Amino acid sequence: MSNPQSIPALLVKSTPNQAAIVSRRRLLHVAAAASLAPLLAPFAPAARAADRPGHWRLAHGRLMTRWSHEVNPHNSLVEYPRPQMVRPAWRNLNGLWDYQITPKNQTQIPGNSGGPGGRQIMVPFGIESALSGVMHALQPNERLWYHRTFTVPQSWHEGRILLHFGAVDWEATIFINGQHLGSHRGGYDSFHFDITNHVKGPGPHRIDVSVWDPTDTYWQPHGKQTLHPGGASYTATSGIWRTVWLEGVGDSYIERLKMIPDVEDAANGILHLEVIGRTAPEIMHIEAIASDDSGPVAHVSGPIGQQLSPVVRQNLVKFFKARSAWVSNEFQMPIKHPKLWTPDSPFLYTLKVHLKDAHGKIVDTVDSYFAMRSVKVGHDAQGNTRPMLNGKPILLPGALDQGFWPDGVYTAPTDDALKFDIQFAKRLGLNTVRKHVKVECDRWYYWADKLGLIVFQDMPTGNDGNPQTDRPTSPEAAAQWHTEVRRHIEQLMNHPSVFCWIMFNEAFGGFNYLRNAHWAHRLDPSRFIDESSGFPWHGAGNVADNHGGISPKFPNKFGITSEDGGWGLGCPGHEWNAAKSWTYRSYNPKTGKTMDFLALKNKDKSARIPPVTPRSRAWMTHEVVGLLGGFLRHAPRTGQSGDFYCQIVDVETEMDGLISYDRAIPKVTVEAVARAIRGATPKLKAAT
């Protein structure tokens, strides 16, 4: 949260309690529809040459979840990792890899990595996590090496072979069979390499991955990760932390889809579908079929690569000897009487896209999904500026979601665990979460799409800039920030659940606020832009965002409070570190009322947060209901459009969650919160 004294007084209306919480928070910072089921069913994991279960065991972390015991060398996040671009020819490389830690200046593959008796790590869990089996805090002067072998089906050698990494934090260098393949910088985006020319024959082939991660000692985006966990910063994640996988494609294949729905006309929706591919230097053809539960509802077809005219093709093929080219084309797919996506009715259409050669033969097929919905700024009948979903004003009762896990840190132990957080938010009656300075794996957004949860997506923060001067730390830092943010927007923009891009969190590493907000809007004009959660404000974007206060009314921006609340209870047996646990406010067992726990903790370091009991749970339920119910009841008068409780889940020693860190102990009566939200939500009408 922020210090309201840093914000011009006309921009914030805070109660004394709220102002105190905001100030303290700043100090702590400084210290798919049923038809998709068969499409997304888990594929059998590939045989793993590196798996030697006798050499690995689950580490005993401070706190584990009920899903921890499901993680083993043969069941390590086996689900298909990319639900909006599904192909059957893939192999999961999760599981046991050999690893070694060397000095940072060791840039050549260590000669003694791998082999019998080598140390092993469970991929895709960061080396700091219990689920990795290691629990080592990687230091900036260290380099982490991974090694394993893999085989390739013979049939794949007829086309191209792609090696995918869901995410590696932060700088990764890849070697195949001892040969340098390439490098990637960025801790939160997915990337891949074409390894066809490096894997002749079935193998086994060797892969080595070198990782350097400076965490919070450098300028790169790292979110809430730190080498010194405490307060409102937490354990770091280094190395591979999302699924690694192989994919077999043809010589010509679809590389990416871009899907933007248009529902201006309720009877005649349009899906703007851009197909991007890598093909032979000739005109090929695209066929796309959209379906709902009853069958196909729309069909489009047309050329791709039409820019490659006969003269151009002759130059490419005859003179330059080109074997492939990057091509794209946009198609307008009419969706008659579209079934609109909302949090209460999150309808998803399935989409099948074929790539055909000049003779009509299918050379590639991907299965995907999309939703029809519109997101715009408008006004309600009282004249308040509102977010409009499908042309109707919507209010956003929500919560902050940091996406940390006690056993996996940045990585949920299983797909069911990943889904749980979204289900829990829905059970609470929330329709929105703010994904806080972290970008999740594709499957998290798939579950948000399928279950119906709106996402306000933070960009991960770092030490990229100085907000007081509005300047970047360096040209390199600014270039890297833009590179990573562009990737996040491109990789997440097909998800209907994502409504808003939040460029910076408070004044952490921000720079060129106005320019960057305008730049992001040009990249994706179909969503809201929030220039900074909390502060500072420069007037860009569509959102007036406060921490602990209510925004004044603007004619072209809707107001939200993206961090609010701050009540907490202890959960004996379900806490990360009871001695260091803290929260802003808690329950006073003597009076039955609210007390300032942070002030108490500052005076008495041995103070413990009062535990969850029937009475304290009733107190916390009352406070949360008062916050979110009050926001909804007063929204027609205040003009406020969103209020996000901070936060949905405890994280390490920060105990202000609505459920314990291991997701075992709810601190509020879930049904009571949901009933209160439903009962307090006003029926808003759009301005005529």
Side-chain angles (χ1 to χ4, degrees):
M1 288 187 180
S2 55
N3 185 343
Q5 294 179 351
S6 303
I7 311 174
L10 73 159
L11 296 182
V12 176
K13 304 177 204 171
S14 298
T15 66
N17 243 352
Q18 289 170 323
I21 294 168
V22 168
S23 178
R24 291 164 183 166
R25 180 75 175 189
R26 174 64 178 158
L27 291 172
L28 283 162
H29 274 312
V30 172
S35 57
L36 284 173
L39 177 128
L40 295 169
F43 289 72
R48 298 172 174 83
D51 286 355
R52 295 192 299 277
H55 292 261
W56 176 89
R57 65 176 57 184
L58 182 70
H60 295 289
R62 288 176 177 268
L63 183 65
M64 308 298 278
T65 69
R66 62 179 175 274
W67 300 278
S68 302
H69 72 279
E70 299 179 28
V71 178
N72 61 63
H74 304 288
N75 188 36
S76 181
L77 293 174
V78 297
E79 292 79 13
Y80 192 86
R82 191 183 57 187
Q84 286 190 310
M85 280 280 290
V86 178
R87 291 188 180 94
W90 79 293
R91 282 199 168 183
N92 194 323
L93 297 185
N94 292 344
L96 294 183
W97 294 48
D98 296 306
Y99 82 95
Q100 189 172 349
I101 297 172
T102 69
K104 179 195 171 189
N105 60 8
Q106 171 72 57
T107 57
Q108 300 299 313
I109 301 171
N112 59 340
S113 66
R119 293 182 295 175
Q120 294 187 305
I121 185 171
M122 181 72 76
V123 169
F125 299 100
I127 192 170
E128 292 86 352
S129 71
L131 293 178
S132 74
V134 182
M135 287 184 66
H136 171 77
L138 193 72
Q139 299 300 304
N141 63 352
E142 295 178 324
R143 187 173 297 274
L144 171 61
W145 290 88
Y146 294 85
H147 157 73
R148 68 159 291 157
T149 59
F150 63 91
T151 59
V152 176
Q154 185 60 40
S155 61
W156 288 17
H157 289 285
E158 299 174 4
R160 313 299 297 177
I161 301 166
L162 307 180
L163 172 63
H164 294 268
F165 291 86
V168 182
D169 198 344
W170 176 69
E171 181 182 80
T173 304
I174 319 299
F175 302 83
I176 298 291
N177 293 328
Q179 300 298 308
H180 177 260
L181 182 63
S183 298
H184 174 270
R185 279 183 157 192
Y188 299 88
D189 61 300
S190 60
F191 59 97
H192 72 272
F193 293 97
D194 186 326
I195 63 172
T196 308
N197 297 334
H198 296 262
V199 289
K200 304 298 183 182
H205 302 285
R206 173 182 174 126
I207 177 173
D208 291 274
V209 180
S210 158
V211 179
W212 174 64
D213 182 15
T215 309
D216 56 345
T217 66
Y218 206 49
W219 43 250
Q220 91 290 355
H222 55 264
K224 289 294 194 72
Q225 301 179 74
T226 180
L227 294 173
H228 305 285
S233 295
Y234 321 110
T235 300
T237 288
S238 299
I240 298 170
W241 67 276
R242 291 192 202 144
T243 293
V244 185
W245 51 295
L246 293 169
E247 183 179 34
V249 297
D251 282 326
S252 295
Y253 62 96
I254 298 166
E255 186 175 76
R256 189 163 73 91
L257 303 176
K258 182 178 177 181
M259 298 176 282
I260 300 177
D262 183 347
V263 292
E264 283 294 325
D265 184 341
N268 298 287
I270 296 173
L271 179 70
H272 301 280
L273 171 65
E274 184 179 2
V275 182
I276 300 162
R278 294 192 177 273
T279 73
E282 62 182 41
I283 297 177
M284 303 187 79
H285 293 272
I286 292 294
E287 181 182 28
I289 304 102
S291 301
D292 64 11
D293 295 338
S294 62
V297 297
H299 172 276
V300 294
S301 61
I304 187 171
Q306 64 270 40
Q307 301 92 339
L308 305 175
S309 66
V311 172
V312 171
R313 289 201 306 277
Q314 184 177 22
N315 175 274
L316 281 173
V317 178
K318 298 290 181 65
F319 172 73
F320 187 64
K321 309 299 182 185
R323 295 186 296 272
S324 65
W326 183 98
V327 295
S328 71
N329 197 12
E330 185 174 317
F331 302 87
Q332 310 305 316
M333 177 173 279
I335 308 293
K336 299 290 185 182
H337 305 289
K339 300 176 182 178
L340 302 181
W341 188 97
T342 71
D344 294 328
S345 180
F347 187 83
L348 301 177
Y349 289 87
T350 59
L351 181 70
K352 188 178 289 288
V353 184
H354 300 296
L355 174 65
K356 299 180 179 181
D357 65 16
H359 305 288
K361 178 184 176 182
I362 295 175
V363 297
D364 190 25
T365 298
V366 295
D367 288 299
S368 187
Y369 69 86
F370 66 93
M372 297 300 291
R373 61 108 178 96
S374 68
V375 174
K376 292 189 175 181
V377 174
H379 296 86
D380 64 19
Q382 285 77 36
N384 296 307
T385 308
R386 298 294 188 194
M388 309 291 281
L389 174 59
N390 305 326
K392 299 177 181 179
I394 184 172
L395 297 178
L396 308 170
L400 193 77
D401 178 4
Q402 305 209 54
F404 277 78
W405 295 83
D407 45 9
V409 190
Y410 251 16
T411 309
T414 69
D415 196 56
D416 282 342
L418 191 72
K419 179 170 60 173
F420 174 86
D421 283 3
I422 296 170
Q423 291 174 315
F424 184 66
K426 294 286 291 185
R427 285 176 52 208
L428 284 162
L430 307 178
N431 64 12
T432 307
V433 295
R434 175 187 166 206
K435 179 54 69 172
H436 189 37
V437 292
K438 179 195 178 188
V439 175
E440 291 283 1
C441 65
D442 285 342
R443 290 194 66 86
W444 187 89
Y445 298 96
Y446 159 68
W447 286 120
D449 295 341
K450 183 177 174 64
L451 299 177
L453 188 67
I454 294 170
V455 179
F456 275 50
Q457 178 64 55
D458 283 14
M459 296 302 166
T461 56
N463 304 317
D464 314 85
N466 182 341
Q468 290 185 321
T469 65
D470 204 25
R471 297 179 183 276
T473 302
S474 68
E476 184 185 16
Q480 182 65 31
W481 183 88
H482 282 102
T483 296
E484 293 192 35
V485 170
R486 179 186 289 273
R487 291 174 187 155
H488 299 329
I489 291 175
E490 289 179 347
Q491 292 177 7
L492 298 180
M493 70 185 309
N494 289 334
H495 289 285
S497 57
V498 179
F499 274 39
C500 180
W501 305 118
I502 301 177
M503 308 313 295
F504 296 104
N505 174 53
E506 295 181 339
F508 292 93
F511 65 97
N512 295 350
Y513 281 82
L514 277 168
R515 178 182 177 186
N516 286 325
H518 292 316
W519 170 76
H521 176 73
R522 289 193 296 271
L523 281 178
D524 184 10
S526 69
R527 286 180 172 84
F528 304 130
I529 302 296
D530 184 340
E531 69 158 288
S532 182
S533 177
F535 66 94
W537 286 0
H538 298 80
N542 315 105
V543 186
D545 189 336
N546 289 282
H547 287 181
I550 297 176
S551 167
K553 296 182 180 182
F554 288 94
N556 58 350
K557 303 179 195 301
F558 63 87
I560 66 171
T561 304
S562 63
E563 291 184 24
D564 210 348
W567 302 284
L569 293 171
C571 299
H574 300 269
E575 296 181 31
W576 182 257
N577 186 333
K580 294 186 177 180
S581 292
W582 64 274
T583 187
Y584 302 109
R585 292 173 288 177
S586 191
Y587 176 72
N588 188 329
K590 295 180 180 179
T591 65
K593 297 180 181 180
T594 299
M595 69 169 171
D596 186 335
F597 181 80
L598 199 56
L600 175 63
K601 187 75 172 179
N602 288 335
K603 292 179 181 178
D604 180 3
K605 300 300 182 185
S606 65
R608 295 290 190 271
I609 302 174
V612 175
T613 64
R615 288 186 177 181
S616 64
R617 179 179 280 121
W619 162 83
M620 188 158 174
T621 302
H622 177 267
E623 297 293 340
V624 173
V625 164
L627 176 74
L628 296 177
F631 145 62
L632 292 165
R633 283 191 301 273
H634 299 303
R637 174 181 56 82
T638 65
Q640 188 181 20
S641 292
D643 201 346
F644 303 164
Y645 178 79
C646 180
Q647 57 188 323
I648 195 166
V649 180
D650 288 345
V651 180
E652 298 192 356
T653 59
E654 187 173 352
M655 298 290 291
D656 50 5
L658 299 174
I659 194 170
S660 60
Y661 193 18
D662 59 359
R663 280 75 167 171
I665 308 296
K667 303 185 191 179
V668 295
T669 304
V670 174
E671 298 76 12
V673 174
R675 282 196 306 270
I677 289 174
R678 287 194 300 268
T681 302
K683 304 294 185 183
L684 298 182
K685 294 182 179 180
T688 56

